[in-house]
mmCIF file of all heavy atoms in Angstrom:
data_model
loop_
_atom_site.group_PDB
_atom_site.id
_atom_site.type_symbol
_atom_site.label_atom_id
_atom_site.label_comp_id
_atom_site.label_asym_id
_atom_site.label_seq_id
_atom_site.Cartn_x
_atom_site.Cartn_y
_atom_site.Cartn_z
ATOM 1 N N VAL A 564 0.568 12.388 3.202
ATOM 2 C CA VAL A 564 1.262 11.273 3.285
ATOM 3 C C VAL A 564 2.660 11.347 2.876
ATOM 4 O O VAL A 564 3.616 11.011 3.575
ATOM 5 C CB VAL A 564 0.644 10.034 2.574
ATOM 6 C CG1 VAL A 564 1.500 8.727 2.647
ATOM 7 C CG2 VAL A 564 -0.800 9.846 3.111
ATOM 8 N N LYS A 565 2.835 12.002 1.814
ATOM 9 C CA LYS A 565 4.275 12.336 1.360
ATOM 10 C C LYS A 565 4.996 13.341 2.182
ATOM 11 O O LYS A 565 6.094 13.077 2.606
ATOM 12 C CB LYS A 565 4.069 12.857 -0.105
ATOM 13 C CG LYS A 565 5.253 13.286 -0.900
ATOM 14 C CD LYS A 565 5.790 12.200 -1.783
ATOM 15 C CE LYS A 565 7.208 12.338 -2.321
ATOM 16 N NZ LYS A 565 7.363 13.300 -3.236
ATOM 17 N N ARG A 566 4.332 14.397 2.627
ATOM 18 C CA ARG A 566 4.902 15.278 3.609
ATOM 19 C C ARG A 566 5.281 14.504 4.947
ATOM 20 O O ARG A 566 6.344 14.975 5.542
ATOM 21 C CB ARG A 566 3.841 16.317 3.841
ATOM 22 C CG ARG A 566 4.411 17.598 4.599
ATOM 23 C CD ARG A 566 3.289 18.589 5.076
ATOM 24 N NE ARG A 566 2.450 17.854 6.078
ATOM 25 C CZ ARG A 566 1.020 17.794 6.000
ATOM 26 N NH1 ARG A 566 0.504 18.381 5.172
ATOM 27 N NH2 ARG A 566 0.471 17.195 7.030
ATOM 28 N N ALA A 567 4.574 13.713 5.319
ATOM 29 C CA ALA A 567 4.942 12.997 6.644
ATOM 30 C C ALA A 567 6.231 12.118 6.446
ATOM 31 O O ALA A 567 6.892 11.875 7.434
ATOM 32 C CB ALA A 567 3.804 12.121 7.022
ATOM 33 N N GLY A 568 6.502 11.762 5.208
ATOM 34 C CA GLY A 568 7.806 11.126 5.020
ATOM 35 C C GLY A 568 7.771 9.954 4.048
ATOM 36 O O GLY A 568 8.738 9.342 3.809
ATOM 37 N N ALA A 569 6.574 9.599 3.516
ATOM 38 C CA ALA A 569 6.579 8.475 2.612
ATOM 39 C C ALA A 569 7.282 8.784 1.226
ATOM 40 O O ALA A 569 7.095 9.831 0.681
ATOM 41 C CB ALA A 569 5.146 7.991 2.385
ATOM 42 N N ASP A 570 8.043 7.761 0.746
ATOM 43 C CA ASP A 570 8.642 7.896 -0.560
ATOM 44 C C ASP A 570 7.743 7.282 -1.537
ATOM 45 O O ASP A 570 7.694 7.669 -2.793
ATOM 46 C CB ASP A 570 9.962 7.128 -0.575
ATOM 47 C CG ASP A 570 10.893 7.588 0.479
ATOM 48 O OD1 ASP A 570 11.337 8.750 0.471
ATOM 49 O OD2 ASP A 570 11.280 6.651 1.389
ATOM 50 N N ILE A 571 6.874 6.419 -1.258
ATOM 51 C CA ILE A 571 6.078 5.607 -2.227
ATOM 52 C C ILE A 571 4.731 5.561 -1.465
ATOM 53 O O ILE A 571 4.604 5.297 -0.402
ATOM 54 C CB ILE A 571 6.621 4.165 -2.260
ATOM 55 C CG1 ILE A 571 7.970 4.301 -2.747
ATOM 56 C CG2 ILE A 571 5.742 3.347 -3.133
ATOM 57 C CD1 ILE A 571 8.822 2.948 -2.595
ATOM 58 N N ILE A 572 3.637 5.722 -2.401
ATOM 59 C CA ILE A 572 2.367 5.600 -1.834
ATOM 60 C C ILE A 572 1.499 4.590 -2.672
ATOM 61 O O ILE A 572 1.354 4.766 -3.820
ATOM 62 C CB ILE A 572 1.481 6.960 -1.845
ATOM 63 C CG1 ILE A 572 2.443 8.095 -1.170
ATOM 64 C CG2 ILE A 572 0.231 6.893 -1.160
ATOM 65 C CD1 ILE A 572 1.793 9.517 -1.285
ATOM 66 N N LEU A 573 0.977 3.637 -1.943
ATOM 67 C CA LEU A 573 0.188 2.710 -2.642
ATOM 68 C C LEU A 573 -1.283 3.293 -2.468
ATOM 69 O O LEU A 573 -1.696 3.601 -1.357
ATOM 70 C CB LEU A 573 0.250 1.268 -1.799
ATOM 71 C CG LEU A 573 1.431 0.522 -2.068
ATOM 72 C CD1 LEU A 573 2.615 1.065 -1.492
ATOM 73 C CD2 LEU A 573 1.227 -0.978 -1.756
ATOM 74 N N THR A 574 -1.915 3.517 -3.530
ATOM 75 C CA THR A 574 -3.290 4.122 -3.455
ATOM 76 C C THR A 574 -4.171 3.750 -4.638
ATOM 77 O O THR A 574 -3.747 3.615 -5.813
ATOM 78 C CB THR A 574 -3.153 5.537 -3.416
ATOM 79 O OG1 THR A 574 -4.481 6.175 -3.524
ATOM 80 C CG2 THR A 574 -2.331 6.180 -4.518
ATOM 81 N N TYR A 575 -5.367 3.586 -4.267
ATOM 82 C CA TYR A 575 -6.442 3.158 -5.420
ATOM 83 C C TYR A 575 -6.713 4.430 -6.222
ATOM 84 O O TYR A 575 -7.403 4.391 -7.227
ATOM 85 C CB TYR A 575 -7.819 2.834 -4.651
ATOM 86 C CG TYR A 575 -7.469 1.489 -3.844
ATOM 87 C CD1 TYR A 575 -7.254 1.554 -2.465
ATOM 88 C CD2 TYR A 575 -7.336 0.201 -4.587
ATOM 89 C CE1 TYR A 575 -7.009 0.411 -1.739
ATOM 90 C CE2 TYR A 575 -6.996 -0.877 -3.771
ATOM 91 C CZ TYR A 575 -6.873 -0.776 -2.410
ATOM 92 O OH TYR A 575 -6.487 -1.885 -1.609
ATOM 93 N N PHE A 576 -6.214 5.513 -5.768
ATOM 94 C CA PHE A 576 -6.285 6.857 -6.595
ATOM 95 C C PHE A 576 -5.257 7.040 -7.696
ATOM 96 O O PHE A 576 -5.162 7.958 -8.260
ATOM 97 C CB PHE A 576 -6.255 8.076 -5.681
ATOM 98 C CG PHE A 576 -7.519 8.330 -4.900
ATOM 99 C CD1 PHE A 576 -7.582 8.358 -3.581
ATOM 100 C CD2 PHE A 576 -8.725 8.716 -5.544
ATOM 101 C CE1 PHE A 576 -8.686 8.610 -2.851
ATOM 102 C CE2 PHE A 576 -9.927 9.015 -5.034
ATOM 103 C CZ PHE A 576 -9.903 8.977 -3.576
ATOM 104 N N ALA A 577 -4.328 6.028 -7.723
ATOM 105 C CA ALA A 577 -3.123 6.218 -8.495
ATOM 106 C C ALA A 577 -3.434 6.684 -9.875
ATOM 107 O O ALA A 577 -2.858 7.651 -10.431
ATOM 108 C CB ALA A 577 -2.320 4.789 -8.625
ATOM 109 N N ARG A 578 -4.416 5.968 -10.628
ATOM 110 C CA ARG A 578 -4.625 6.290 -11.960
ATOM 111 C C ARG A 578 -5.200 7.694 -12.085
ATOM 112 O O ARG A 578 -4.827 8.486 -12.925
ATOM 113 C CB ARG A 578 -5.562 5.310 -12.530
ATOM 114 C CG ARG A 578 -5.773 5.463 -14.011
ATOM 115 C CD ARG A 578 -6.958 4.617 -14.629
ATOM 116 N NE ARG A 578 -7.091 5.078 -16.128
ATOM 117 C CZ ARG A 578 -6.861 4.123 -17.009
ATOM 118 N NH1 ARG A 578 -6.592 2.894 -16.812
ATOM 119 N NH2 ARG A 578 -6.890 4.628 -18.158
#
Side-chain angles (χ1 to χ4, degrees):
V564 173
K565 183 97 195 280
R566 191 190 64 229
D570 304 297
I571 300 166
I572 307 174
L573 287 73
T574 172
Y575 303 96
F576 281 117
R578 187 189 178 119

